[in-house]
Amino acid sequence: MCGIVGYIGMRDVKEVVLEGLRKLEYRGYDSAGIAAIEGGKLKVVKAVGRLVNLEDKLRQQPIQGHVGIGHTRWATHGRPSDDNAHPHQDCSGRFAVIHNGIVENYLSLREELIAKGHQFKSETDTEVVAHLIEDLYNGDFFQTMVAVGRRIRGAYALVVMSQNDPDTLIAMRKASPLIVGLGDGENFVASDIPAILQYTRDVYILDDGEMAVVTKTRVEFYTLAGEPVDKETLRVTWDAIAAERGGYDHFMLKEIHEQPKAIRDTLTGRLTPDLNRVVLSELHWQPGFLEGLDRIHIVACGTAWHAGLVGKAIIEHFAKIPVEVDVASEYRYRDPLQTDHTLVLVISQSGETADTLAALRLAKHRGRRVLAITNVLGSSVAREADDVVVTWAGPEIAVASTKAYTTQLVALYLFAIYLAQEKVLLDPQEESRLLHALYALPQAAESVLDSAPQIQQFAEQYAKVHDTFFIGRGLDFAVALEGSLKLKEISYIHAEAYAAGEMKHGTLALITEGVPVIALTTQTALYDKTVSNIKEVKARDAFVLGITWAGDEVLKKSVDQVLYLPVTDPLLAPVVTVIPLQLLAYYAAVARGNDVDKPRNLAKSVTVE
Ligand code: AGP
């Protein structure tokens, strides 16, 4: 996610844009930039790092004007740098573009434009749009943008300005959010409402496939094909803080609900259009490396470690490569047995966790090749790993990790299936079936989120308890660990995850009347065994919430409450099973009046050992 702001009116555009970007920094902050027309010339100033670096640069290179665009970046293509920061310009410098999303066909467009003599300055997908505008420009800014819309594929929110048309901004939306704010003698464009709330509460929400032509006195809407569209304004009643959370009460709830999009974005560009093969262009392995791979060590902390446990199961299942999983703080001191054919896979949302970073450096020191799965392209982990698979979840603000976990799982599924595909271990039909199921996960996640009100009711029961158990077998046990951590870290209720078959070896002694047990039963092959473990705790009068697939008519006879999940492949179950557990933890914490986004004693990124 990136932050986008555009302004046209009578105010100092620099102030309006910078203020708007400050309100959007939660959407991404590895670089920022501004473009404005001053004295008839288009000027651009950009700076890597936080927004303050841009503000410092603008003190040396001031920009005056009343029309302009600004951008705070969350890198997806091209590391954070001055050149990769937005706005991007064409060769002539007459056009400036800011963008949120992914131009899927940027490589082919880039080749086509280079062949026509265009010179690129950045590694980004966005810059192709600026050169495409220049290439297609026929004197009519609007018609040119219609032509550009026909050529670019992917998800985008674009705002473009032109030195030839200093009284106009053009905004285009396809899958990434974009709004237009209506002022008096001035108008605004932004990726999100907080950026403009101090100037106006009257906004238009661009729908997918729409574009807006914005001057200081007029806003017109069209389809991307150039057909006029009538739109209604929306009166925003949120306060500024609520607006940053998109109207949600907490960032955590917003990020739980962003998971369908985050999963979709993480899949984007990594499945062939026919959904028959995985494409992981981020891996730059030497010929023979994969064939010689004898072991994978997954290293991570907390929620990322829980994702690693799922990673172990699915990589071994699909790729038949032995996998070990360590918490980073242990890995560093156990002198792991490795060879030159061992791959170390580190998982880290922030890419700055001290223990994980130290483990990465130890692996590199021992000559291992390191693959990172991270959510922050410019992070230390991303910079120091040999290969990086980015989760495109966008900034995760809440301390409790949610969308990062599910997108880490998606990245691990893609990696596991990629390994099996390259080792020719998957028959084409099986691979296609799996990839179709993977592609359907955003929809499955969406329908799980529809059960939020029911989960909130369950959660309010848990708000009063002191101890809770999560049980499951196989992949369900890995997810039970994550559910237990979620509940602990934000509701402060003691919770423990247990392999369901292991309860009778001691912990069953803690089960007495009314003790809540959450039982996960998505692993069909282990269903009967898990149900008998449920009966063990029920025999001690536990209060059991069972989580199973829709259509299961059996489980309800053995538990006190049931939550049904949309049916998906049991191998992919963790991505959907975790969502009710995230919501359960969230609503229990809310019911207990806790600071959900900033729980006591914890930090979003543990950069100390
Ligand atoms: C997750 O809810 C926790 N806040 C925490 O365990 C976190 O997953 C862990 O600190 C690892 O962080 P990272 O993914 O940024 O490395």
Side-chain angles (χ1 to χ4, degrees):
M1 284 197 291
C2 304
I4 281 178
V5 180
Y7 175 72
I8 187 161
M10 61 297 201
R11 300 174 200 259
D12 172 355
V13 65
K14 180 168 75 299
E15 291 315 316
V16 175
V17 166
L18 287 175
E19 185 54 31
L21 292 180
R22 281 184 208 103
K23 295 286 192 311
L24 296 178
E25 260 204 303
Y26 71 86
R27 294 176 64 85
Y29 39 69
D30 57 46
S31 52
I34 181 172
I37 290 179
E38 179 182 335
K41 288 284 287 170
L42 184 63
K43 285 179 74 175
V44 175
V45 177
K46 314 197 273 191
V48 69
R50 304 295 295 247
L51 199 51
V52 287
N53 297 357
L54 177 63
E55 291 166 18
D56 292 345
K57 223 172 192 182
L58 283 165
R59 277 188 270 281
Q60 275 86 48
Q61 305 169 40
I63 276 188
Q64 305 297 332
H66 304 290
V67 54
I69 56 179
H71 184 272
T72 176
R73 185 169 182 240
W74 183 267
T76 55
H77 289 71
R79 58 190 166 66
S81 67
D82 283 7
D83 284 344
N84 287 338
H86 301 209
H88 289 286
Q89 288 178 280
D90 63 305
C91 305
S92 72
R94 286 177 301 156
F95 300 102
V97 179
I98 52 178
H99 168 227
N100 176 24
I102 299 161
V103 178
E104 280 181 19
N105 59 331
Y106 82 98
L107 284 173
S108 57
L109 287 172
R110 186 183 175 108
E111 284 160 21
E112 178 192 325
L113 291 160
I114 288 171
K116 290 184 171 181
H118 289 268
Q119 314 228 303
F120 282 75
K121 292 190 185 126
S122 82
E123 307 158 312
T124 67
D125 54 336
T126 307
E127 192 184 350
V128 295
V129 179
H131 293 284
L132 191 58
I133 295 167
E134 178 186 27
D135 197 57
L136 296 174
Y137 186 66
N138 63 359
D140 182 323
F141 190 19
F142 170 70
Q143 287 304 332
T144 299
M145 293 314 298
V146 171
V148 167
R150 278 199 286 271
R151 293 296 315 277
I152 55 178
R153 280 207 324 273
Y156 54 81
L158 286 173
V159 184
V160 185
M161 64 188 295
S162 159
Q163 184 174 290
N164 306 343
D165 303 81
D167 301 324
T168 303
L169 296 177
I170 293 186
M172 300 167 77
R173 173 187 173 165
K174 189 159 174 248
S176 293
L178 210 49
I179 62 154
V180 174
L182 215 49
D184 180 7
E186 60 183 1
N187 288 309
F188 308 79
V189 183
S191 36
D192 208 351
I193 288 169
I196 58 161
L197 208 50
Q198 72 186 73
Y199 305 106
T200 178
R201 288 184 173 274
D202 296 316
V203 300
Y204 290 99
I205 309 287
L206 253 70
D207 291 312
D208 266 6
E210 288 185 345
M211 64 195 289
V213 179
V214 183
T215 68
K216 61 184 176 186
T217 55
R218 201 178 67 253
V219 181
E220 292 169 351
F221 296 96
Y222 301 85
T223 65
L224 292 180
E227 301 300 319
V229 171
D230 289 331
K231 290 184 75 68
E232 300 290 319
T233 55
L234 166 80
R235 180 75 181 164
V236 178
T237 56
W238 298 328
D239 65 31
I241 295 293
E244 269 187 39
R245 298 177 194 139
Y248 290 98
D249 290 342
H250 298 95
F251 277 112
M252 183 180 177
L253 188 59
K254 176 171 181 270
E255 288 154 10
I256 289 172
H257 284 268
E258 283 175 339
Q259 290 182 112
K261 179 180 183 315
I263 293 166
R264 191 174 297 113
D265 288 351
T266 301
L267 288 169
T268 297
R270 292 168 170 156
L271 298 174
T272 50
D274 59 11
L275 299 181
N276 283 334
R277 287 182 72 79
V278 172
V279 176
L280 275 186
S281 52
E282 298 94 331
L283 298 184
H284 310 289
W285 291 351
Q286 293 301 318
F289 178 76
L290 169 54
E291 291 68 21
L293 208 48
D294 64 3
R295 179 180 308 278
I296 295 175
H297 279 178
I298 297 178
V299 186
C301 299
T303 286
W305 174 63
H306 296 152
L309 294 172
V310 175
K312 168 185 168 64
I314 56 175
I315 292 170
E316 290 185 344
H317 174 84
F318 289 119
K320 310 302 178 205
I321 297 173
V323 179
E324 294 179 43
V325 190
D326 284 89
V327 288
S329 54
E330 291 295 307
Y331 178 80
R332 297 169 60 191
Y333 305 107
R334 75 170 180 86
D335 191 15
L337 299 178
Q338 299 175 335
T339 72
D340 290 346
H341 302 286
T342 302
L343 174 72
V344 175
L345 166 53
V346 297
I347 307 172
S348 175
Q349 186 286 127
S350 63
E352 300 300 344
T353 298
D355 285 319
T356 307
L357 196 50
L360 181 156
R361 287 170 179 162
L362 173 66
K364 297 283 288 178
H365 174 72
R366 297 169 65 134
R368 298 292 83 78
R369 189 167 186 88
V370 176
L371 165 62
I373 294 176
T374 184
N375 197 38
V376 184
L377 189 54
S379 64
S380 305
V381 159
R383 284 198 309 273
E384 297 182 31
D386 297 298
D387 304 292
V388 185
V389 173
V390 177
T391 51
W392 288 334
E396 188 177 67
I397 310 297
V399 165
S401 191
T402 52
K403 62 178 182 173
Y405 174 77
T406 44
T407 53
Q408 285 161 3
L409 294 184
V410 169
L412 287 162
Y413 282 113
L414 288 166
F415 180 58
I417 295 169
Y418 171 80
L419 292 174
Q421 164 189 294
E422 297 304 301
K423 294 179 71 176
V424 200
L425 295 174
L426 274 179
D427 74 70
Q429 286 76 14
E430 172 62 2
E431 178 164 14
S432 177
R433 183 189 67 77
L434 272 170
L435 295 185
H436 279 79
L438 203 54
Y439 190 73
L441 282 178
Q443 193 50 48
E446 206 67 74
S447 60
V448 176
L449 289 167
D450 291 343
S451 55
Q454 182 192 11
I455 297 165
Q456 181 170 8
Q457 281 176 0
F458 290 156
E460 279 154 9
Q461 299 166 144
Y462 288 85
K464 308 175 190 79
V465 304
H466 296 289
D467 299 287
T468 300
F469 292 87
F470 292 74
I471 64 171
R473 286 173 176 255
L475 288 174
D476 281 332
F477 174 45
V479 178
L481 286 163
E482 175 56 13
S484 161
L485 176 63
K486 288 281 99 47
L487 187 66
K488 276 185 284 192
E489 67 175 325
I490 60 170
S491 75
Y492 313 148
I493 295 168
H494 173 256
E496 202 167 343
Y498 240 81
E502 188 62 11
M503 286 292 286
K504 56 185 172 295
H505 296 287
T507 302
L508 198 58
L510 296 179
I511 303 298
T512 57
E513 186 180 352
V515 169
V517 174
I518 294 159
L520 309 182
T521 65
T522 68
Q523 299 306 295
T524 316
L526 301 166
Y527 181 85
D528 294 342
K529 293 279 188 193
T530 308
V531 171
S532 52
N533 298 138
I534 290 170
K535 289 187 169 121
E536 282 167 9
V537 297
K538 275 306 292 173
R540 278 81 182 173
D541 298 324
F543 183 86
V544 181
L545 165 62
I547 297 182
T548 185
W549 298 120
D552 175 353
E553 292 302 320
V554 172
L555 189 66
K556 63 188 177 188
K557 300 171 190 147
S558 307
V559 298
D560 299 286
Q561 292 172 327
V562 190
L563 190 78
Y564 295 101
L565 297 171
V567 176
T568 187
D569 189 304
L571 284 169
L572 305 181
V575 178
V576 290
T577 314
V578 74
I579 295 174
L581 307 185
Q582 295 167 343
L583 288 166
L584 201 69
Y586 171 78
Y587 286 117
V590 168
R592 289 169 72 104
N594 292 355
D595 183 346
V596 174
D597 286 333
K598 297 188 181 69
R600 67 187 183 204
N601 309 341
L602 303 178
K604 182 56 189 169
S605 180
V606 184
T607 54
V608 293
E609 298 193 14

